[in-house]
Amino acid sequence: MLFNILMLIAGLGVLVWSADRFVYGAAAFARNLGLPPMLIGLTIVAMGSSAPEMFVAATASMEGMSNTAVGNVLGSNVANITLILGITALLGAISVSSQTLKREIPLMLAATVLAGYLIHDGMLTRLEGGILLVAFFALMGYFIWQAMRNKQIDPLSDESDAEIPKNVPTLHAIIWIIVGMILLPLSADWMVTGAVGIAKTFGLSDLVIGLTIIAVGTSLPELAACIAGVLKKEDDLAIGNIVGSNLFNILAVLAIPGLIAPGEIDAHASSRDFYMVLGTSTALAVLVLSSGAKKQLTRWHGAILLVVFIAYQIVLFQSQ
């Protein structure tokens, strides 16, 4: 038990650190290539924040634990909205003024509905994994097109520009990318090994392992990014981190178990847990897009989101 706890803590710590270094290097390298800040923020930074989920999903799938990989995606998306945004909103109201985000949030909902349709039969096949991956690349193409053609001033662009590393030598950026690519899969394996060992001690299913311990752990980079964004008054960037991460999770990360370990998934994933993802995603859209002229997430909204997260965790553990 002690060994598993140490593996989980070590894996989580290295996973979060290596994901941060990978994003740092990739974003700096992209800036050196002259890519627009908005494009870097919507693609490289968002993908980097989902790197822990990607590598954990791949590791779990290769070890025959596809339900843990699926649970990690669904649980992370729920945690991002309820736990991460809940905590962040308690620090102060989060205002949304970016037109880009107002386009991204409906896309997040559409991607969630697509994923739900594909897994509603309790199966995740290679074809369905391929469909999710094609949708992911199509979305990236759309973001690139939008970033290149949109000449209007957008708060998200300014906030993204402020966060992207400047004056980083290209060689240093490449070194950090390599360090991240080496440590991410290694630490993901440690984390999965430790989390599974702990969870099995308490009789938790593979799905609940992914929905709880691993999902919360892999969402820590989003928590750090959101808190930092709000403290710097970069509210659009804070929301953008969550929306971008959820988009990557539901399309790119959910495709991984379908491609690596296709087959039947836990019935709860395609019913209870998917509807939780859909419900929280819809709630975020309603709160952000229909919250009056200010478009704010208030402290009251944050408190409600946290209560929803705690209630969901209680339901999950009681179901065992």
Side-chain angles (χ1 to χ4, degrees):
M1 184 65 174
L2 178 60
F3 173 77
N4 288 323
I5 292 173
L6 292 175
M7 286 286 285
L8 175 65
I9 294 173
L12 179 57
V14 177
L15 188 73
V16 171
W17 182 82
S18 57
D20 176 74
R21 293 295 86 193
F22 176 80
V23 171
Y24 177 87
F29 183 67
R31 182 186 279 279
N32 290 350
L33 292 178
L35 296 181
M38 176 75 85
L39 179 58
I40 297 173
L42 289 174
T43 56
I44 295 172
V45 175
M47 182 170 64
S49 67
S50 289
E53 285 89 347
M54 288 183 186
F55 283 92
V56 167
T59 300
S61 298
M62 287 188 288
E63 294 181 3
M65 300 171 60
S66 58
N67 280 315
T68 297
V70 172
N72 182 29
V73 172
L74 302 179
S76 290
N77 278 23
V78 171
N80 282 347
I81 294 174
T82 57
L83 176 65
I84 309 305
L85 277 184
I87 292 174
T88 307
L90 285 177
L91 298 176
I94 307 173
S95 301
V96 179
S97 54
S98 169
Q99 291 301 316
T100 301
L101 277 180
K102 293 166 189 175
R103 287 194 299 268
E104 271 198 59
I105 290 174
L107 286 173
M108 180 187 71
L109 275 175
T112 301
V113 171
L114 171 63
Y117 174 76
L118 294 177
I119 67 172
H120 81 280
D121 60 352
M123 297 288 293
L124 185 58
T125 65
R126 279 202 174 90
L127 174 61
E128 290 166 339
I131 290 172
L132 289 170
L133 203 57
V134 168
F136 167 73
F137 284 118
L139 190 65
M140 289 302 97
Y142 170 74
F143 284 159
I144 292 170
W145 176 71
Q146 281 286 341
M148 299 303 289
R149 71 182 285 271
N150 190 0
K151 305 301 181 183
Q152 295 180 344
I153 297 175
D154 191 302
L156 185 59
S157 179
D158 294 336
E159 292 174 11
S160 296
D161 184 55
E163 290 301 307
I164 296 168
K166 299 178 177 68
N167 303 318
V168 178
T170 299
L171 178 60
H172 291 182
I174 293 173
I175 290 173
W176 282 123
I177 293 172
I178 294 172
V179 168
M181 292 181 68
I182 293 172
L183 291 180
L184 276 166
L186 182 63
S187 56
D189 183 61
W190 294 349
M191 185 176 175
V192 169
T193 300
V196 169
I198 294 169
K200 291 299 185 184
T201 301
F202 296 101
L204 300 179
S205 68
D206 288 350
L207 177 65
V208 172
I209 293 169
L211 287 165
T212 55
I213 300 172
I214 294 179
V216 172
T218 55
S219 291
L220 290 180
E222 284 85 356
L223 176 60
C226 281
I227 291 176
V230 169
L231 292 178
K232 295 176 183 177
K233 306 300 180 183
E234 297 172 343
D235 292 4
D236 288 294
L237 194 61
I239 294 282
N241 282 329
I242 295 300
V243 175
S245 177
N246 280 17
L247 268 169
F248 275 84
N249 286 346
I250 206 70
L251 294 177
V253 183
L254 189 59
I256 292 173
L259 295 172
I260 295 177
E264 187 175 354
I265 61 175
D266 193 305
H268 286 109
S270 56
S271 54
R272 176 196 64 197
D273 305 313
F274 166 73
Y275 289 117
M276 187 65 183
V277 175
L278 181 61
T280 53
S281 299
T282 303
L284 176 62
V286 171
L287 288 173
V288 171
L289 302 180
S290 305
S291 55
K294 291 186 176 181
K295 308 294 185 191
Q296 284 188 338
L297 287 181
T298 67
R299 283 191 171 92
W300 280 109
H301 293 146
I304 292 170
L305 289 172
L306 275 178
V307 168
V308 170
F309 173 78
I310 293 169
Y312 180 51
Q313 300 304 301
I314 292 172
V315 169
L316 289 176
F317 283 106
Q318 287 183 339
S319 69
Q320 294 302 292

